[in-house]
Amino acid sequence: MPNEKLMTNAIDASELSFNDFKSIVINDYKIAFESRQASVLGRREVLTGKAKFGIFGDGKEVPQLAMAKAFKNGDWRSGYYRDQTFAFATGISTIKEFFAQLYANPTDGADPFSGGRQMNCHFATKSVNEDGSWNDLTKIKNCSSDISPTGGQMARLVGLAYASKLFKQNKELNYLKHFSVNGNEVAFGTIGNASTSEGVFFEAINAAGVLQIPMAVSIWDDAYGISVPAKYQTTKEDISEVLKGFQRNADQPGYEIYKVKGWDYPALCEVYEKAINVCREEHVPVLIHVTELTQPQGHSTSGSHERYKSKDRLSWETEYDCIQKMRAWMLESAVATEDEIAEVEKNAKVFVRNAQKEAWNEFLDSIKPEQKQVVDLISSMAKHQPELAKIAANLTSTADAQRREVFTAVRKAIRLSASFNSPERNELLAWYMQQSRFNHDRYNSKLHTNGKESPDMIAVVDAVYDEQSKMVDGREVLNACFNENFARDPRLVAFGEDLGNIGDVNQGFAGLQAKYGELRITDTGIREMTIMGQGIGLAMRGLKPIAEIQYLDYLIFALNVLSDDLASLSYRTKGIQKAPVIVRTRGHRLEGIWHSGSPISMILGALRGMHLCVPRNMTQAAGMYNTLFRADEPAVVIECLNGYRLKEKLPGNVGDFTVPLGKAEVLEEGTDITVISYGSSLRIVQEAAEELSLLGISVEIIDPQTLLPFDTTQVCVNSLAKTNKLLVVDEDVPGGASAYILQKVLEEQKGYFHLDGQPKTLSAKAHRPPFGSDGDYFSKPSVDDVIETIYQMMHDANPTKYPSIF
Ligand SMILES: Cc1ncc(C[n+]2csc(CCOP(=O)(O)OP(=O)(O)O)c2C)c(N)n1
Ligand SMILES: [Mg+2]
């Protein structure tokens, strides 16, 4: 049974007989030993070329047994690539699955964590089904999907732990039975000693101390980060020493901090039991600094540690290898005899070898039929074209062919036979088309959840107005929208800097904390990474967070978390996890270098996998929120900084009407030129269009409303078919989002076909705008700039009708 789960058991000294105790310990030793074998074999698989890269948990096995014992159903892990022993000991991974991931096997079910997409030791458990519906997360040991950036797991960890606090304290959430049992779940984090140098580690530690949440951080300390020793990483070379100020005392809440040697099995079991009890029962964050760990095979398959560790260090690592130490302790304390241990070790070697072989054979077997079909198909064409026989022969003789080799042969054969129409060729073409669909699913699918709550499944409801509809400030439209939605759905929570007590810096949440309570509308510290992480963790546990970034300019402080973790989540897990976080922020022109940001191309480049909403006013923003609140995919919504005080008509159904994503709108019809713009720039364009009409120029203005997705119903190209001229106006840098829009309209929508002149972009300058109105005027596109650019385009087309103005 190479795919069987290993699983550790709790040690309860008060109830166990010696024999029970003995069998638990021996089973633990077996798990640790098998895990080590998996590391040794895994490394060999890479070095012999069967896998491309490997990173393993050798030297960190024993503490992970202790952590696994304290980990219960419903709990969560947010860790890093060293945790294979924990994954084996909790049943999160089998050894065969571990190898399937090492080989990047994309066959359904082989690598259940990432569908063959992630490097090895990047684990995840299945939170959602193919249609996006949730599983019962209280019944499984949950593992949030690992990412490779060191420390990147910390932001999400805060949110996973914070969810327990909300489930415990907000009784309105009791009905969410599949997500929590009264908030009793602990969020376990793991991090390497060197990665504690990252800013996100300190931000997360502080945030959890403030929030008092059940977060248990284990630091696997092997005194190195690849080749760089602790003296370059950590003040005093001792992270728990440095963090002592976080220790709680009789007067003030804080952390419980533990320090324990990573090779001391009984001490580890005791510390974990104690620490996790405090964390779970009292909702106090705990930190367990596990020291004196080793890395017997070095950091990864990329190099050997003999290059940078001294002889003394290397021999110390051999002596203090945690598995060796556990073995010695078992003998010394008469838990097992030498023979018993040797038997376990012998069996473990066979077991792991079999699991590895099976995983490798299954990987190859999934490709072999394709290889054979292709060889047959190409061979059958060779009678028309002898050179194809060579391609078929080459592929036949490729041992252990991977899919790339099969498809290279197919595509070459298709190219070479382009002028030979034959039934055999048609068969090959049909095969290629069909397999391309499978490959799309294997390698390219699930950028979004695309389930039954996808934003495009949400019913479109128009805004309703009547004679009584009032003109109000834009911020009041948002306020009314949030109010109605918070009344409708208890899962909604909102948090950010100044969002609670004063209701955000522009009053969108004014009065709502008083109405819905501090647990739902909450102030946070100034900590953009962990505000996003808070959102991710909550959303992964079934809540609906609105995580606010005070100004778009400060999204940069959180971009790593959004890009590495949130935007990639659905893709990197092939849809088995989701986090429908709504990132609310405000941007575009206002004042100065850091409150006028419109770095849209940065977002477009970094956040594929999320939706990007750029509403022109607060009513459109409210409609987008109404869609997103009912959907299950993450999004950024950028409200117009200069729009909160402008008057808008309050819809009668402000909490219910929806603005669909990807639906561009023609704001003003015109015949001479199509102008595409979004957000605050639209008002500039509208004002310019008024003067242009006096000059006899009729402008069609299009608001795409969302940039991800972009104009899914081809409004832009249809307009271009009429006007034949295109200008894109925005506040991003030259060649930024405007270049993206050109790619969409000219290339994807084939707008080039309708142009009768050069398409143009009018963006902001390459620098950020200086402070003051003049800074804005000379840096961002002004009404004058828009008028003159459009006029010039008309002049270029018809100089007689539009004589030069300069
Ligand atoms: C943000 C980021 N920077 C750098 C790296 C490259 N890198 C991968 S692992 C590693 C060292 C991590 O050391 P430590 O946290 O002590 O964990 P260990 O591997 O020793 O268990 C580095 C620098 C990365 N993956 N992510
Ligand atoms: Mg380390």
Side-chain angles (χ1 to χ4, degrees):
M1 285 271 289
N3 206 26
E4 84 187 20
K5 291 189 188 298
L6 307 173
M7 314 279 277
T8 184
N9 286 301
I11 296 177
D12 183 345
S14 62
E15 287 184 8
L16 282 180
S17 68
F18 178 74
N19 278 343
D20 289 344
F21 171 73
K22 172 176 172 154
S23 74
I24 290 172
V25 175
I26 291 181
N27 187 50
D28 278 356
Y29 182 76
K30 171 172 161 275
I31 295 170
F33 195 87
E34 286 177 351
S35 178
R36 177 66 61 87
Q37 285 305 302
S39 301
V40 170
L41 219 56
R43 182 174 172 85
R44 219 171 63 200
E45 291 301 275
V46 176
L47 298 185
T48 55
K50 284 156 77 183
K52 301 213 68 170
F53 171 81
I55 192 149
F56 303 104
D58 48 301
K60 317 282 190 299
E61 291 91 347
V62 174
Q64 293 181 25
L65 297 169
M67 181 168 123
K69 283 183 199 304
F71 198 98
K72 297 193 170 157
N73 282 353
D75 284 348
W76 281 84
R77 166 186 170 276
S78 178
Y80 79 118
Y81 49 76
R82 294 280 178 224
D83 292 349
Q84 69 194 47
T85 312
F86 170 81
F88 299 146
T90 47
I92 285 171
S93 175
T94 65
I95 290 191
K96 185 172 151 192
E97 288 162 346
F98 160 95
F99 278 106
Q101 190 177 44
L102 184 71
Y103 301 133
N105 187 348
T107 308
D108 272 345
D111 153 13
F113 323 115
S114 69
R117 293 175 178 188
Q118 290 228 66
M119 282 177 171
N120 74 308
C121 282
H122 286 57
F123 300 105
T125 45
K126 188 171 165 125
S127 303
V128 295
N129 302 304
E130 177 67 22
D131 65 357
S133 58
W134 290 101
N135 285 328
D136 184 341
L137 305 182
T138 66
K139 298 272 189 303
I140 57 173
K141 296 190 161 69
N142 297 284
C143 173
S144 62
S145 166
D146 290 332
I147 58 176
S148 302
T150 54
Q153 67 276 29
M154 292 301 297
R156 175 194 339 130
L157 177 64
V158 173
L160 292 169
Y162 184 61
S164 288
K165 175 169 174 167
L166 295 186
F167 282 121
K168 187 168 217 155
Q169 297 190 8
N170 181 0
K171 298 299 170 212
E172 277 183 65
L173 299 176
N174 282 354
Y175 77 100
L176 295 168
K177 302 274 183 238
H178 284 185
F179 296 103
S180 176
V181 179
N182 302 320
N184 289 335
E185 304 80 18
V186 169
F188 289 72
T190 65
I191 185 166
N193 58 296
S195 302
T196 65
S197 312
E198 296 278 11
V200 68
F201 171 79
F202 286 93
E203 196 182 301
I205 291 292
N206 181 55
V210 169
L211 294 168
Q212 288 294 291
I213 50 181
M215 173 173 120
V217 179
S218 296
I219 298 164
W220 307 146
D221 190 345
D222 60 8
Y224 281 84
I226 311 187
S227 65
V228 182
K231 73 170 173 168
Y232 295 110
Q233 300 284 0
T234 309
T235 309
K236 302 183 182 179
E237 301 186 34
D238 187 333
I239 189 68
S240 55
E241 180 67 25
V242 171
L243 295 177
K244 268 187 175 160
F246 284 89
Q247 173 65 47
R248 67 173 172 168
N249 57 35
D251 305 322
Q252 283 183 311
Y255 273 74
E256 275 305 327
I257 298 178
Y258 304 83
K259 192 171 192 172
V260 56
K261 297 197 184 345
W263 44 263
D264 190 342
Y265 173 78
L268 284 160
C269 292
E270 204 183 311
V271 164
Y272 270 91
E273 193 186 333
K274 205 166 21 163
I276 302 308
N277 269 342
V278 169
C279 188
R280 198 183 299 281
E281 303 303 323
E282 303 177 41
H283 271 207
V284 167
V286 299
L287 191 126
I288 304 158
H289 183 193
V290 181
T291 61
E292 298 194 12
L293 286 169
T294 68
Q295 210 148 264
Q297 300 195 111
H299 175 75
S300 71
T301 53
S302 297
S304 80
H305 60 157
E306 284 81 9
R307 284 177 302 160
Y308 50 79
K309 284 181 187 161
S310 68
K311 280 211 169 66
D312 284 354
R313 171 75 197 185
L314 288 167
S315 71
W316 179 87
E317 288 204 10
T318 310
E319 191 185 342
Y320 281 80
D321 182 314
C322 61
I323 294 187
Q324 286 309 313
K325 283 278 188 191
M326 181 176 177
R327 193 182 200 281
W329 168 81
M330 285 162 71
L331 289 170
E332 268 163 34
S333 50
V335 175
T337 64
E338 180 65 46
D339 286 351
E340 284 170 322
I341 296 177
E343 178 74 8
V344 167
E345 291 170 349
K346 191 178 86 195
N347 292 340
K349 284 186 182 166
V350 174
F351 174 78
V352 173
R353 183 79 186 140
N354 286 341
Q356 173 266 317
K357 272 193 196 148
E358 231 179 82
W360 176 243
N361 288 337
E362 282 182 15
F363 175 53
L364 291 184
D365 289 349
S366 69
I367 299 171
K368 275 188 184 137
E370 293 172 28
Q371 185 180 10
K372 175 155 182 0
Q373 287 160 15
V374 166
V375 167
D376 290 350
L377 285 166
I378 298 179
S379 302
S380 73
M381 293 160 66
K383 60 177 183 273
H384 304 293
Q385 255 183 300
E387 68 268 35
L388 295 181
K390 219 157 77 190
I391 299 176
N394 260 345
L395 187 57
T396 308
S397 63
T398 308
D400 298 351
Q402 303 228 344
R403 196 162 271 119
R404 184 170 72 156
E405 281 136 349
V406 176
F407 278 77
T408 303
V410 173
R411 294 168 75 174
K412 195 161 186 186
I414 290 173
R415 289 197 298 269
L416 287 177
S417 59
S419 50
F420 288 82
N421 227 339
S422 70
E424 290 86 358
R425 182 172 193 274
N426 288 342
E427 225 184 302
L428 183 67
L429 275 177
W431 187 93
Y432 177 63
M433 296 302 170
Q434 187 198 36
Q435 292 294 323
S436 297
R437 282 195 295 278
F438 297 148
N439 285 337
H440 176 85
D441 174 68
R442 288 182 186 117
Y443 303 107
N444 312 111
S445 61
K446 287 286 180 186
L447 181 60
H448 301 281
T449 304
N450 293 130
K452 57 185 182 181
E453 290 177 21
S454 136
D456 54 14
M457 305 292 274
I458 305 302
V460 179
V461 179
D462 290 333
V464 175
Y465 299 99
D466 58 28
E467 309 84 66
Q468 267 99 59
S469 296
K470 285 187 298 188
M471 292 300 284
V472 297
D473 284 353
R475 66 132 196 121
E476 292 177 87
V477 176
L478 286 178
N479 191 259
C481 165
F482 294 144
N483 182 30
E484 292 201 3
N485 280 288
F486 271 69
R488 178 183 62 81
D489 190 344
R491 293 172 302 173
L492 277 169
V493 286
F495 45 87
E497 298 151 17
D498 301 289
L499 185 131
N501 189 21
I502 65 165
D504 88 49
V505 286
N506 292 92
Q507 302 279 286
F509 273 95
L512 299 187
Q513 187 183 64
K515 193 161 171 187
Y516 296 103
E518 270 185 56
L519 285 173
R520 295 190 63 195
I521 316 262
T522 312
D523 280 320
T524 66
I526 307 174
R527 47 176 181 80
E528 284 78 10
M529 284 188 279
T530 50
I531 291 172
M532 294 300 103
Q534 215 169 319
I536 296 170
L538 291 184
M540 285 180 128
R541 295 191 61 188
L543 298 173
K544 294 223 161 216
I546 303 167
E548 177 164 312
I549 296 288
Q550 197 161 72
Y551 296 95
L552 179 54
D553 300 77
Y554 307 129
L555 189 83
I556 296 173
F557 266 53
L559 198 64
N560 53 345
V561 178
L562 294 175
S563 183
D564 292 331
D565 202 358
L566 182 55
S568 76
L569 180 66
S570 177
Y571 179 78
R572 75 179 192 267
T573 63
K574 206 181 177 198
I576 65 165
Q577 294 190 352
K578 66 176 179 180
V581 181
I582 297 157
V583 179
R584 177 187 184 221
T585 188
R586 47 189 74 82
H588 312 311
R589 66 183 67 211
L590 193 70
E591 279 306 335
I593 292 179
W594 278 280
H595 299 83
S596 298
S598 200
I600 305 297
S601 48
M602 172 188 87
I603 297 171
L604 290 169
L607 302 187
R608 301 297 167 108
M610 295 181 68
H611 301 291
L612 177 56
C613 303
V614 283
R616 63 181 176 271
N617 60 31
M618 302 309 160
T619 308
Q620 296 311 105
M624 292 173 193
Y625 283 125
N626 286 333
T627 300
L628 294 169
F629 291 160
R630 289 160 176 80
D632 70 350
E633 292 180 4
V636 176
V637 182
I638 302 170
E639 297 165 12
C640 295
L641 253 176
N642 61 6
Y644 292 105
R645 299 249 163 91
L646 299 179
K647 295 289 180 201
E648 297 182 30
K649 200 185 263 189
L650 183 68
N653 54 349
V654 68
D656 292 319
F657 81 101
T658 55
V659 170
L661 309 191
K663 180 89 180 58
E665 256 185 30
V666 177
L667 286 192
E668 279 171 37
E669 291 195 13
T671 51
D672 293 326
I673 182 167
T674 299
V675 178
I676 303 173
S677 189
Y678 58 88
S680 296
S681 297
L682 275 166
R683 273 196 305 281
I684 303 284
V685 174
Q686 284 177 303
E687 211 180 314
E690 281 177 31
E691 185 173 329
L692 283 160
S693 75
L694 302 178
L695 299 171
I697 298 169
S698 161
V699 180
E700 178 136 310
I701 305 175
I702 298 179
D703 177 7
Q705 306 209 79
T706 63
L707 296 176
L708 296 170
F710 182 87
D711 182 20
T712 51
T713 58
Q714 311 264 310
V715 172
C716 293
V717 76
N718 288 336
S719 168
L720 218 50
K722 179 171 66 171
T723 65
N724 313 120
K725 287 185 184 54
L726 175 63
L727 174 68
V728 179
V729 180
D730 79 352
E731 298 181 29
D732 198 1
V733 292
S738 54
Y740 164 83
I741 293 173
L742 286 185
Q743 186 264 334
K744 285 281 171 192
V745 178
L746 299 183
E747 186 181 67
E748 276 188 23
Q749 299 188 355
K750 298 192 177 17
Y752 76 97
F753 188 73
H754 302 289
L755 292 176
D756 65 7
Q758 184 192 1
K760 292 218 150 194
T761 62
L762 176 60
S763 58
K765 296 283 188 286
H767 55 76
R768 300 177 187 212
F771 181 56
S773 301
D774 292 348
D776 175 84
Y777 182 78
F778 289 104
S779 306
K780 297 265 186 180
S782 64
V783 174
D784 295 327
D785 293 334
V786 176
I787 293 169
E788 287 163 13
T789 305
I790 292 174
Y791 188 89
Q792 181 65 38
M793 290 171 78
M794 297 306 291
H795 164 80
D796 290 345
N798 189 347
T800 323
K801 186 164 175 199
Y802 304 103
S804 181
I805 43 177
F806 287 109

